[in-house]
Every structure is written in C-alpha cells, then in structure tokens.
Amino acid sequence: MKLQKLKPLTNEYLESIGFVWHTDEDETSYISDEIIQVSEDEANAYYEATNELYDMFCEAGDYVIENNLFHEINIPFNLVNLIKESWENDVHWHLYSRFDLAGGIDGKPIKLIEFNADTPTAVFETAIIQWAMLKANNLDEASQFNNLYDALKDNFKRIITMEDDIEKFEEFYKDLGWKILFSSIASSSEDINTTKLLQHIATEAGFNTDFEYIDKVQFNDQGIYKDDINFEFWFKLIPWENIAIDESELALILEDIIANKKAIVFNPAYTLMFQSKGFMKILWDLYPNHPLLLETSFEPLVGKKQVEKRCFGREGANVAIINSDNSLDMKTDGDYEGFKAIYQEYVELPTDENGASYQAGVFYAYEACALGFRKGGKILNNMSKFVGHIIK
C-alpha cells in the first residue's frame, strides 16, 4: 500500500462548501492529509467485484422473499409488507448504496465486510472532498475511480424513465415538474448537509426539490406533504429500522402510501434486507466459498477467528473480535445489543507502517461508481478518518 502526502484543505474552504464535520471530537482532522495510490488494475477490480456483489444481493433478495426469511435476518415485522411491495414493483428504484470491502490494495483478494444499502454515509467526502483535494494540490482530479456525483444525477433521472437510457428523461420527462422532498433529522449537521447535497444533485438533474426535517413532514393516506404541497417522491436519510421501531405509526402510513401508489420513497424499503448483516449469512448459503464472501453464520464459527456483529449495528458499535480459541481479542459497546448477532470470518484489513487499518468503500448507483477509504483501528468507528485516493 502506497500513501501520498497532500496539503490539506482548510477548514474555511470546507465550511464554505457546506462540509462542517471536518474536525473530530479529539480536535484532529476527520479528512486525512494522505491519499492512497491505487493502480488502474486495482480500481477495475473494485469495480468488477462491486457489480458482481450487487447482482448476488439481488438474487438473494428473491430467495429471502420467496422463502419468507425476514425473521431470520432480523427484519421488523411491520416492514415486511413494505419490503415485498417495494421489491415487486419496479418503480421503487435503489438510488445509491456503499459496499465496505477488505483487501484490494494489499495484494490480497477483495472480501465483502458489509453492505450499507439504506442510508450510506461518506457521500460528500467521496463525491466532493477527495476530488477537491487533488485539485487543490495541482493533481489531476480526474485520476480517480470517482463518478459518484454524475452517477447519482443520472440515477435520479432513471427513477422516472425506469430504463438505462437517461436521454429519454431529457427528451420527454424533464419539464413535467416532478417533485422530490428531501428529509433528515434536525440534530445532525452531517445528515442535513449530505441530504442537501443530494437535493442539489436532484435539482441539477431536472427535478423540483424541497427540504424539510422529518418531524415536520406531513403524512396521510393521500401522500407526503410539506406546507400542503404533495410530493411524488420522498428521500429520507433516516434508517428504515428506526422508522419501524421508533415510529411504528409512520411505518403503517408509509405502507398505505406505497401500496396505493401515492408516493415513492428512497431508498426503498427492500434495501433494509440488504442492510441487514444477517443477509450475508443468506449469501454464504447460496454462494458457499465464493471468493468475494466471508463465511457467515448465526452461530459462532468453530475453530476460526471471527467477528460478532449485530444485524443493524452501525459505526463499529457492539462488535467483538473473537480469536480461534474463543478468547476475546477486543470488543465495543453500543446501543444495538437488542438486534440479532451474526458471526463472520475475520479478515485482516490493509495496514500502514503505523498499524492503522484501511477499509475500502465502493459506492453503487446503477453500477459501481466511486471509491474511498476509511482509516482507523481493527474496528472502525465514528472516529475513523476519511482517506481519498489517486490512480497511478
């Protein structure tokens, strides 16, 4: 693994473009001043692996629904009908997602760690910041595997055409006044500005857009509203499992809205299947020993170093690394203990000379479209750093 030192972007510049979560609680920069040198072959391998993985997830999604395996992967019961409805009707387009991967830059094979299919983070960092870092250091900003901004813009158009050909949107649909309401919680500047970036991209794509905090959006059996204006589409940067558990009444209303075709929600409810880490056990059953997968089970693995995770844990919370002799390597606490546990074969992440670990994140929007990295300890958490890349 090769690292290249860069002059960092100033906090003033970052704030001027809306990136205000640039400094962590310990007063260190969240954006690394080093980038990873990636070869063209390595970038292509990430692209091919991610596309193959997405196809596998779609095949496995059919299997879960046909065999009613929602309970096995810890899906809340009050979202099952929503998931089925969104899966069976093609208008519920998967807008974007991010695969977390080990290997790929260290001569070791790429392995799936998990799939952030519902509310993936690091959109701003991947689409804007790492590109700006190259430009500010007089490097070729095109020398990246990074088409996330344009891929999102094109995918917004596909939610209307439902086809590969986005030119049909420009020719037939652009001026029809389609409306998307974008929502986040009010307490997170990262969520707010990430949502507003996506809103900006949708506006550029040709939609009429607006923003409202989730607690102020109006829902009824006729649709989704802001100030009595009805929106055909709603983008929410709120996890589906949070809606199911904390807002069960809203889950029922959304089920009615979607079943009666009053509005379409992004990301669709079926992405919660993909988001569940239990889904990787289904993948292992369907594709045993696949080179992109790690052995995963609902029971502890025998005689193997492994990672215990929760089906809907986030930011490295409630994770334990367990040695092959069943002794504990390390463990994190968190708020996700109530979710079902899975056990995944342990894989070493690429490390630098200081022992820091690096995990690749590849975004998928119709196809694999962008690469970025996170840097941290053995268990990456909300203090992990974002690391850009350059293709050399």
Side-chain angles (χ1 to χ4, degrees), residues 14 26 80 113 133 182 226 234 236 263 281 292 302 348:
L14 292 171
D26 61 359
V80 170
I113 298 174
M133 287 184 69
F182 288 79
K226 175 187 176 182
W234 182 47
K236 47 112 201 118
K281 196 273 183 184
L292 293 173
V302 178
E348 295 279 356

Side-chain angles (χ1 to χ4, degrees), residues 10 16 20 30 43 55 65 79 134 143 165 306 326 334 361:
T10 66
S16 74
V20 296
Y30 163 55
D55 288 344
I65 289 174
L79 289 182
L134 295 192
S143 294
D165 184 8
Q306 59 199 280
N326 288 329

Side-chain angles (χ1 to χ4, degrees), residues 287-298:
Y287 304 96
N289 300 306
H290 190 284
L292 293 173
L293 300 180
L294 296 165
E295 182 179 357
T296 306
S297 175
F298 293 130

Side-chain angles (χ1 to χ4, degrees), residues 94-106:
H94 194 177
L95 186 61
Y96 76 116
S97 51
R98 191 193 77 235
F99 287 90
D100 287 343
L101 306 168
I105 53 170
D106 53 355

Side-chain angles (χ1 to χ4, degrees), residues 260-310:
N260 292 303
K261 300 177 173 56
K262 298 298 184 181
I264 295 170
V265 179
F266 302 111
N267 272 316
Y270 65 75
T271 60
L272 187 62
M273 286 194 303
F274 295 168
Q275 182 81 30
S276 170
K277 297 175 183 64
F279 198 91
M280 291 184 292
K281 196 273 183 184
I282 306 297
L283 282 176
W284 185 257
D285 288 345
L286 295 177
Y287 304 96
N289 300 306
H290 190 284
L292 293 173
L293 300 180
L294 296 165
E295 182 179 357
T296 306
S297 175
F298 293 130
E299 302 296 332
L301 303 176
V302 178
K304 290 187 176 181
K305 190 170 184 177
Q306 59 199 280
V307 180
E308 179 186 348
K309 307 177 183 179
R310 300 292 154 172

